[in-house]
Amino acid sequence: MIRVLIAEDMHMIRGALVALLTLEDDMEVVAELERGDEVVATALRVRPDVAVLDIDMPGLDGLTAAEHLYDELPGCRTLVLTGLSQPGNLLRALKVHVQGFIVKDAPARDLTDGIRRIARGERVIDPDLVAAALETGSSPLTARETEVLRVAATGVPVTQIATELSLSQATVRNYLSNAISKVGARNRIDAIRISRDAGWL
């Protein structure tokens, strides 16, 4: 039996995934979660073979959860579910040892086959995502610019970003200005939108 952990914040989708995998003779859903920050602790408790993670979850996004999961439980393989709108996430996923990357509107058979292949040690990546990621390219932002933009995306002012990241306000403004310029945005809000759409945040 392939032991599967599912983390998806939308109740209906999570329920559908559980129902789908329950129909498979060789799979057992050992945990279902709605928050990304519950993934590692739960996985350490139930020891899944494969973790199926949504990319957008409260508490912790799926890619960060996958990274922590690999550090804490490297034997658990990870499959991320995503939308085609964020191809840049694929490059980030590969860096954090994600073995599978499938779009949410793929046929159900793609998910069950993907879980089996990942459990066998193979890598499963949607070819349309690969093409889109190659077209979009990797993020032009430095790690610090990305961090500043990510905090800015919460809507807090420069003073609070500076406090949270232990930076001066002038440094925060410089990072924001650089990010805006690098992604070809008109302003901070536009830079956040562009970066999110590309999967760089």
Side-chain angles (χ1 to χ4, degrees):
M1 293 290 283
I2 301 171
R3 296 168 59 80
V4 183
L5 176 150
I6 295 175
E8 160 64 62
D9 65 322
M10 298 186 73
H11 297 284
M12 188 177 293
I13 294 175
R14 188 171 69 250
L17 290 172
V18 171
L20 171 69
L21 299 185
T22 302
L23 296 173
E24 302 297 316
D25 294 335
D26 59 343
M27 294 182 195
E28 177 188 6
V29 177
V30 294
E32 50 176 300
L33 311 169
E34 61 181 300
R35 295 182 57 87
D37 53 6
E38 297 173 347
V39 169
V40 173
T42 303
L44 288 171
R45 191 176 72 249
V46 301
R47 300 284 167 166
D49 301 304
V50 176
V52 177
L53 309 179
D54 180 23
I55 209 158
D56 295 312
M57 290 185 287
L60 204 65
D61 69 89
L63 294 181
T64 304
E67 182 175 16
H68 295 334
L69 186 57
Y70 181 82
D71 291 340
E72 297 291 330
L73 194 65
C76 176
R77 303 181 71 76
T78 305
L79 185 150
V80 169
L81 298 176
T82 186
L84 264 176
S85 62
Q86 297 179 319
N89 281 326
L90 174 58
L91 301 175
R92 188 173 155 220
L94 295 174
K95 289 178 183 175
V96 298
H97 309 284
V98 167
Q99 289 83 21
F101 213 74
I102 296 178
V103 291
K104 284 187 176 181
D105 61 355
R109 180 56 51 193
D110 286 4
L111 175 63
T112 53
D113 287 348
I115 290 172
R116 289 186 183 97
R117 289 175 59 193
I118 286 168
R120 290 195 301 263
E122 298 176 35
R123 191 181 292 277
V124 178
I125 299 173
D126 187 293
D128 290 338
L129 277 173
V130 173
L134 289 172
E135 186 176 319
T136 301
S138 58
S139 174
L141 304 173
T142 65
R144 202 58 157 160
E145 289 163 355
T146 301
E147 187 177 25
V148 168
L149 206 57
R150 188 174 288 129
V151 176
T154 64
V156 298
V158 168
T159 52
Q160 194 169 332
I161 297 170
T163 301
E164 188 170 329
L165 298 179
S166 301
L167 298 169
S168 71
Q169 292 181 40
T171 301
V172 169
R173 287 191 186 92
N174 284 339
Y175 281 133
L176 287 172
S177 177
N178 289 343
I180 291 165
S181 176
K182 284 183 178 180
V183 302
R186 297 183 307 275
N187 52 41
R188 181 196 314 188
I189 293 169
D190 195 33
I192 292 165
R193 179 192 59 77
I194 291 169
S195 299
R196 276 183 171 160
D197 287 349
W200 296 333
L201 281 188

